[in-house]
Every structure is written in structure tokens, then in C-alpha cells.
């Protein structure tokens, strides 16, 4: 059951991110095709992100932030990669995401392990 709840939370994060990206794209007066060209992704892929069907990598989020002239950190928060909570400074996540020596898969693996440690520590502190 917890898995289902986590899936729903992840889905709502992706939906929220997609809605926000579409809002920013329209405010910037860019077509889907224009933004996809600027970011270096396909038109269908960007459409899937906006509709909440795909979760973009940190690299794609960085390119979207640049093209839309919004902060990458804000997109990371909306994508659920960086936590806005005061208890989560986000410096670890941002350091991992900005490390050019790591592949996207390695970055995501490190972030997953870090998030699991934080969750474990939080659960232990509540016991």
C-alpha cells in the first residue's frame, strides 16, 4: 500500500512540474516545438513532460530552466529532486546534480540513496 501512495505522490509531483513548465513556456511565448529545440529534446518528449507522463532528468531540467529563464533549483524542487523543507538544505542534492563527472544515472542513484538515508533517519527519530 505504501508503494501505491508513493506512486501517487510521485505522479502529482510530475503533474505539477508539467503544469508549471507549460505555464512558463506560454508566459515566455514559446511554442512546444521552439522550447524543445532550445532544450535539445524531441517535441513529443517535451509534450509528455508537460502532460505529466514523463519525469525529466536533472540535465533536461537544467536546460529547461535556462531556456525558460527560471532557476534550476526551483525546477528541481518542483520535480521532487531537491526538498524545500528547512530541514533539507538541498546542498547535497545540488552538489550531486551539478557534478559534471557523474552520469545522469549515477546522479539519480546517489540522490536515491541519500533520500533513503534521510527517510530512515527521520523514521528512527520518530520511534
Amino acid at each position: 500500500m505504501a508503494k501505491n501512495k508513493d506512486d501517487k505522490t510521485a505522479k502529482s509531483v510530475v503533474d505539477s512540474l508539467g503544469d508549471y513548465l507549460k505555464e512558463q513556456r506560454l508566459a515566455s511565448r514559446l511554442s512546444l516545438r521552439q522550447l524543445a529545440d532550445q532544450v535539445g529534446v524531441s517535441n513529443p518528449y517535451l509534450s509528455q513532460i508537460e502532460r505529466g507522463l514523463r519525469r525529466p532528468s536533472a540535465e533536461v531540467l537544467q536546460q529547461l530552466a535556462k531556456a525558460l529563464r527560471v532557476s534550476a533549483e526551483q525546477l528541481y524542487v518542483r520535480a521532487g529532486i531537491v526538498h524545500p523543507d528547512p530541514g533539507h538544505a538541498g546542498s547535497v542534492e545540488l552538489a550531486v546534480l551539478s557534478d559534471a563527472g557523474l552520469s545522469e544515472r549515477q546522479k539519480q542513484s546517489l540522490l536515491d540513496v541519500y533520500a533513503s538515508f534521510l527517510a530512515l533517519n527521520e523514521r528512527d527519530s520518530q520511534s
Side-chain angles (χ1 to χ4, degrees), residues 11-25 32 46-56 61 64 68 75 78-79:
K11 176 76 173 135
S12 67
V13 166
V14 173
D15 286 345
S16 169
L17 172 66
D19 291 341
Y20 177 75
L21 289 171
K22 183 174 184 176
E23 201 175 277
Q24 293 302 310
R25 177 178 60 78
L32 195 63
L46 183 56
S47 175
Q48 290 174 348
I49 293 170
E50 283 191 359
R51 290 182 290 143
L53 301 175
R54 297 287 297 257
R55 185 175 183 169
L61 286 173
L64 283 164
L68 294 170
L75 291 186
R78 288 188 176 271

Side-chain angles (χ1 to χ4, degrees), residues 30-58:
L30 291 170
S31 71
L32 195 63
R33 186 172 306 282
Q34 288 170 323
L35 182 57
D37 287 345
Q38 286 184 25
V39 174
V41 297
S42 72
N43 197 27
Y45 178 69
L46 183 56
S47 175
Q48 290 174 348
I49 293 170
E50 283 191 359
R51 290 182 290 143
L53 301 175
R54 297 287 297 257
R55 185 175 183 169
S57 69

